Amino acid sequence: QVQLVESGGGLVHPGGSLRLSCEASGSTFNFEIMGWYRQAPGEERDLVGLKYNDGNTELHDSVKGRFTISRDNAKNAVYLQMNNLQPKDTAVYYCNSQRILSPSSRTLYWGQGAQVTVSS
């Protein structure tokens, strides 16, 4: 069974930085997609960004220029470097890994969530 364990959340002032880590364990997969989503209180879970096996990256417009996603496939890990954090970034951040089974079928795995709070 795949488990995704996150670390690195915390409280920062506006303009600060945090780095989230996510490591998959329990099984070894070549995840086609690894990335991050976030969910603020009372809001839907929204995409932050995804990193594909071919090296391509997809980032939400709200974080472009501030956040960077990287992968270490040998460690089955994905990272989120967050710079110039703002109060609007406050949310629970969820690691996500996806195994594509077919063009219309995929299996999603989720981390436990890491709280990121940006406040003055």
Side-chain angles (χ1 to χ4, degrees):
Q1 188 71 36
V2 173
Q3 293 181 322
L4 273 56
V5 180
E6 303 178 34
S7 62
L11 172 66
V12 297
H13 297 303
S17 298
L18 284 173
R19 180 174 179 266
L20 301 182
S21 298
C22 173
E23 294 190 12
S25 63
S27 299
T28 300
F29 293 103
N30 293 320
F31 296 108
E32 286 82 0
I33 302 171
M34 298 188 75
W36 299 88
Y37 290 73
R38 66 185 181 184
Q39 186 171 23
E43 303 291 334
E44 292 185 334
R45 187 174 299 185
D46 293 327
L47 173 70
V48 176
L50 301 173
K51 190 77 171 182
Y52 299 84
N53 264 344
D54 62 7
N56 287 332
T57 302
E58 178 181 350
L59 287 172
H60 193 272
D61 286 344
S62 65
V63 304
K64 286 182 178 178
R66 300 188 298 123
F67 291 10
T68 302
I69 296 177
S70 59
R71 288 179 62 166
D72 186 339
N73 290 332
K75 297 180 179 179
N76 292 317
V78 62
Y79 308 93
L80 181 66
Q81 178 66 46
M82 302 180 290
N83 298 327
N84 192 24
L85 283 160
Q86 301 299 317
K88 65 181 180 180
D89 298 313
T90 295
V92 177
Y93 285 69
Y94 294 93
C95 177
N96 170 260
S97 296
Q98 302 181 30
R99 180 69 176 175
I100 298 176
L101 307 177
S102 73
S104 60
S105 179
R106 63 182 64 191
T107 301
L108 277 68
Y109 304 93
W110 296 97
Q112 81 278 13
Q115 178 69 50
V116 172
T117 302
V118 185
S119 176
S120 60

